[in-house]
Amino acid sequence: MHTSTTVENPQGAMHTGDGDIIIHVGAPAQDSGRRAFRRSFADDQLSRLRRVLVAPGNMGNARAMLADTGSVILDGAPGTGRTSAARVLLREYHHGTGVFHELLPGEQDELALHDPALVESGDQLLLDLSAADETRWAAARAGLPALRKAVHEQHAHLVVVMPHGGHLDPDLQYYRVEIGQPPGLSVLRRHLREHGVPYEQYSRADDVVTEFLHDRRPMREIAHFADLVRRAREAARPEEGFAHWCAAARNAQTDRRSEVGTLVSGLREAPQRALLITVAMLHGAHADIIHRASDLLLSTLGSPPEAALLLQQKDLAERLGEISAGITPSGHVRFKELDYDSAVRAHFWDHMPDLRPHLGRWAARTVDLTDPHLTMAVRDGLVQRLAGQYLRTGRGEGLASLAEGWGSGPPSRTRGEAAVHALTCGLDDPAQGRGFRERIYQWCANRQLKGDFPQVLVQVCADVLASSHPDQALLRLYYLAQRHGDTTRALEALCDLVESSRRLRRRLLDRLARSGPSPADLVVFLHNCDPAPLTEPAGTSRALVQEGGVQQSLSTCWRAVLTGLPRNAWQPHAERWFHHVAANPGDRAELLLDLLVGAAQQCGARRGAVFASLYASARDAERSAPGDPALATGTTALLLSKISAAQALGLTEPSTDSARGPRS
């Protein structure tokens, strides 16, 4: 058994010189049996990247610069693997602290590069400007000194990929490392090894490989060729070896548009063309699925199959022969020529534009089919191939509308998964990813969403967007939790994301306190005010609760909670604060009491009643507090003394040292 990576179109999974490995994987729908993969997906992706990357020239110097200074600016010609090298460099500093974060200056709600809040302790930051124009590069250069300073102070790591040949200020030249292209043969062999091709096969000299590598090839083309070899191997007969696989891969790179056009012009009947399209869209699926989906395409187009006697119809094998396809011994349908399916898809998409909207409806009906052969991989493959045509032709808006339609219709787990996968393909597309991030923002923040589409967006934000753009995921999940309070999934995903980073928790608290918190905001706040992460210091940094900005946010939100919600809504959360203070005596924990009292002090005419409610809640918390009851009693007494001081009653602070223990 060997691993494989499917490359179906230019946006498919490949090792590129200008970007990372892009693996289109459907994100898991809730309760679908798929594992949530936000962290594992990103880690797996980066781990595979490390395995296939052949270190480019000067990689050692780049690694040394990053280790010595915390930042490095990579330069290099397109196709040398600049961004792949950047990701691998950052992966080496992923040790459980901080998060990986791809910086996107200028996008919706992204912090400026000079904003110190952009960096948290141990973060791994990628600023990929390899394709930036001069205006964007100049703006980024202006913010780099401040960004580097924040990275140094937070013991984080930053890799900048600059546009090749771009101007670099003298004070940044020291950090620039130009990488060179690695040997093409080594890159090809590394990919073949990852695909499971035996060493004794690819270690031999081969004329096709020599000819292919004669010209200087970008990394993405070498990766694509290796994947074609892998696919040729899977389709080959036992007696056909490496030379045959390479020849098939070379032939698959030829332009087949004319050949496919000739085939289609000879197929005049609708069932023939429906079968051809179906095989191209479901290439490699079981024959039973091909048969059912072909009939389904005809009915979607308003031309149901003829009700002729079964024994008078051509059998599937004969019909497949008419379109240069066949059935493998395992019962799966493939074209006889490698990568022929890509040419067929492109032909119908380009030359029959009226067919496009029907393909979306047909795909939705197909993924809903019930058949043991219609596996998750087959469904994902169908969605990815359809998405590939939208993206190949620059029709991202059409793909986004298609995904919205799939998720907004009658409840369907498979259609919801298809919508998630379609949006994942859009987000992963190098040319149109930014447009999809903006569309998702508009959906979350401003649009009225129907059906299960909010859940689709929750899944995309939590399990796809958060893996590389956690700040953008945070904002979008916040809006979903705020505007779709009828479900807890957005709130749960938001809380899970905030748990991964102090910086994200700080940003959420700031967002909640920025303007008068709404009732929905208060629900979000109460689920994200866990006292433990607020009082735990990270490395040499202060605890969040010791930061002035965080204190202001907490005070603002608690004041809104104490005045805007009934006691039974906030008491369980206040009790957690009291329990934490009792179990963790010290200045940081005591700040929690100061914040509660300070928030109550701002409640105007109601402050007396609020103080009384806080005291009553502290007394109630004594009964449920774990550990020594005396510590809980001491916490209540300390709270009362702070309330008394706030009300200027002049009461003497009770002696609680014996109950509370020494301060830390």
Side-chain angles (χ1 to χ4, degrees):
M1 179 178 179
H2 56 272
T3 60
S4 64
T5 304
T6 302
V7 178
E8 297 292 349
N9 54 61
Q11 292 76 38
M14 61 184 69
H15 172 211
T16 70
D18 292 336
D20 58 349
I21 290 181
I22 302 168
I23 306 176
H24 294 313
V25 182
Q30 290 284 349
D31 306 323
S32 69
R34 299 187 181 200
R35 62 189 178 99
F37 67 93
R38 169 163 52 83
R39 284 193 176 274
S40 61
F41 172 70
D43 289 345
D44 291 349
Q45 190 177 20
L46 287 171
S47 295
R48 183 185 183 279
L49 182 55
R50 290 188 69 184
R51 295 195 302 270
V52 301
L53 182 74
V54 175
N58 259 349
M59 184 71 161
N61 291 339
R63 183 176 284 112
M65 179 64 71
L66 186 61
D68 291 344
T69 69
S71 57
V72 63
I73 301 173
L74 293 184
D75 193 3
T80 54
R82 297 168 294 173
T83 306
S84 294
R87 291 176 183 271
V88 168
L89 288 170
L90 289 171
R91 178 65 175 82
E92 295 172 356
Y93 289 93
H94 178 62
H95 301 300
T97 59
V99 297
F100 173 78
H101 182 195
E102 184 172 353
L103 306 180
L104 299 169
E107 289 201 17
Q108 181 69 45
D109 208 52
E110 283 282 326
L111 295 178
L113 294 182
H114 58 75
D115 192 328
L118 191 64
V119 188
E120 187 57 78
S121 177
D123 280 354
Q124 306 100 50
L125 307 175
L126 171 64
L127 178 58
D128 182 9
L129 296 169
S130 55
D133 58 23
E134 178 55 35
T135 301
R136 188 177 170 213
W137 172 232
R141 289 201 313 273
L144 281 181
L147 176 60
R148 286 197 61 259
K149 181 175 182 293
V151 166
H152 176 75
E153 292 173 346
Q154 294 290 346
H155 302 284
H157 292 88
L158 165 70
V159 179
V160 180
V161 186
M162 65 177 288
H164 185 50
H167 173 74
L168 195 60
D169 301 331
D171 58 337
L172 295 173
Q173 282 287 352
Y174 173 77
Y175 305 97
R176 173 183 172 272
V177 174
E178 183 168 3
I179 62 174
Q181 184 159 329
L185 182 59
S186 298
V187 174
L188 178 64
R189 288 178 172 177
R190 185 70 61 86
H191 278 275
L192 292 174
R193 184 181 71 181
E194 179 68 13
H195 288 319
V197 178
Y199 173 78
E200 59 271 16
Q201 293 282 353
Y202 62 74
S203 62
R204 305 168 187 169
D206 182 86
D207 292 341
V208 173
V209 170
T210 301
E211 179 185 355
F212 172 73
L213 295 176
H214 180 266
D215 298 325
R216 191 179 183 89
R217 299 278 183 175
M219 297 297 99
R220 72 175 74 85
E221 291 187 15
I222 297 176
H224 185 213
F225 184 82
D227 191 78
L228 289 173
V229 172
R230 185 269 305 173
R231 293 164 59 192
R233 178 191 176 213
E234 292 177 348
R237 294 188 294 270
E239 67 274 13
E240 295 172 336
F242 186 70
H244 176 85
W245 310 336
C246 291
R250 176 192 58 197
N251 294 336
Q253 293 180 311
T254 60
D255 189 347
R256 287 202 168 101
R257 286 179 294 181
S258 177
E259 180 182 344
V260 171
T262 300
L263 173 65
V264 173
S265 65
L267 302 174
R268 309 308 303 177
E269 298 179 6
Q272 292 176 307
R273 294 187 172 186
L275 182 61
L276 181 62
I277 295 169
T278 301
V279 173
M281 297 297 293
L282 288 162
H283 196 246
H286 194 274
D288 290 353
I289 298 300
I290 297 295
H291 173 72
R292 293 185 63 186
S294 177
D295 286 349
L296 194 61
L297 179 56
L298 286 171
S299 65
T300 301
L301 295 171
S303 302
E306 296 179 4
L309 295 174
L310 288 177
L311 293 179
Q312 292 179 348
Q313 297 178 3
K314 296 177 182 178
D315 63 28
L316 185 59
E318 183 179 358
R319 295 173 60 208
L320 289 172
E322 295 174 346
I323 61 171
S324 299
I327 303 176
T328 67
S330 62
H332 295 83
V333 177
R334 297 182 181 276
F335 286 113
K336 296 176 182 178
E337 296 293 331
L338 183 65
D339 220 30
Y340 196 79
D341 54 308
S342 296
V344 172
R345 290 193 297 273
H347 175 88
F348 279 103
W349 187 268
D350 293 344
H351 299 291
M352 291 188 175
D354 292 342
L355 183 66
R356 296 169 188 168
H358 299 288
L359 289 177
R361 290 193 294 273
W362 167 72
R365 296 178 66 186
T366 299
V367 298
D368 273 344
L369 290 174
T370 302
D371 191 289
H373 296 297
L374 190 59
T375 63
M376 190 180 299
V378 173
R379 289 187 174 98
D380 284 351
L382 171 60
V383 174
Q384 180 174 320
R385 289 166 183 138
L386 181 58
Q389 297 308 306
Y390 279 101
L391 296 171
R392 178 181 65 84
T393 53
R395 300 179 182 276
E397 185 64 45
L399 178 59
S401 297
L402 185 66
E404 182 179 14
W406 287 348
S408 302
S412 167
R413 178 179 63 84
T414 54
R415 292 194 188 196
E417 290 177 350
V420 169
H421 193 51
L423 293 176
T424 300
C425 291
L427 287 169
D428 282 347
D429 184 77
Q432 300 180 67
R434 178 171 184 169
F436 272 85
R437 291 191 292 271
E438 173 62 23
R439 291 183 187 96
I440 291 172
Y441 174 85
Q442 293 299 331
W443 277 323
C444 296
N446 300 316
R447 295 278 295 276
Q448 293 298 320
L449 307 178
K450 301 177 181 178
D452 287 338
F453 196 55
Q455 312 312 324
V456 168
L457 295 176
V458 169
Q459 206 70 41
V460 169
C461 293
D463 290 342
V464 182
L465 193 60
S467 65
S468 56
H469 305 101
D471 291 63
Q472 292 207 2
L474 175 82
L475 179 64
R476 287 150 180 76
L477 287 172
Y478 159 71
Y479 282 125
L480 287 171
Q482 181 195 56
R483 300 178 65 239
H484 296 276
D486 55 334
T487 176
T488 62
R489 290 178 182 173
L491 182 57
E492 291 169 355
L494 178 62
C495 294
D496 179 62
L497 179 59
V498 167
E499 283 294 324
S500 68
S501 168
R502 284 162 44 100
R503 181 174 55 80
L504 295 178
R505 187 179 299 276
R506 184 189 298 113
R507 288 206 68 183
L508 178 61
L509 292 173
D510 176 70
R511 165 68 61 171
L512 292 169
R514 188 175 300 173
S515 56
S518 67
D521 286 330
L522 300 183
V523 172
V524 173
F525 168 72
L526 289 175
H527 281 82
N528 286 279
C529 67
D530 185 348
L534 290 173
T535 56
E536 292 173 355
T540 60
S541 301
R542 297 177 300 169
L544 282 173
V545 75
Q546 295 174 302
E547 298 178 10
V550 174
Q551 291 178 6
Q552 184 175 353
S553 296
L554 290 170
S555 181
T556 298
C557 290
W558 267 118
R559 177 175 57 81
V561 165
L562 295 172
T563 57
L565 295 179
R567 178 184 165 193
N568 62 353
W570 56 259
Q571 178 169 332
H573 303 279
E575 285 190 3
R576 293 179 67 185
W577 280 39
F578 296 137
H579 290 165
H580 186 82
V581 174
N584 300 274
D587 292 337
R588 288 194 300 270
E590 191 172 318
L591 277 173
L592 299 177
L593 300 183
D594 293 331
L595 287 169
L596 287 174
V597 172
Q601 177 76 358
Q602 300 176 51
C603 291
R606 294 193 56 198
R607 69 174 187 167
V610 172
F611 280 139
S613 294
L614 279 178
Y615 178 73
S617 296
R619 293 297 303 270
D620 290 341
E622 293 178 15
R623 293 191 289 271
S624 58
D628 187 350
L631 295 176
T633 302
T635 297
T636 303
L638 182 59
L639 174 71
L640 180 60
S641 71
K642 291 179 179 294
I643 291 175
S644 299
Q647 292 181 313
L649 297 181
L651 296 182
T652 303
E653 181 176 344
S655 176
T656 59
D657 287 348
S658 59
R660 291 173 49 79
R663 291 188 179 185
S664 58

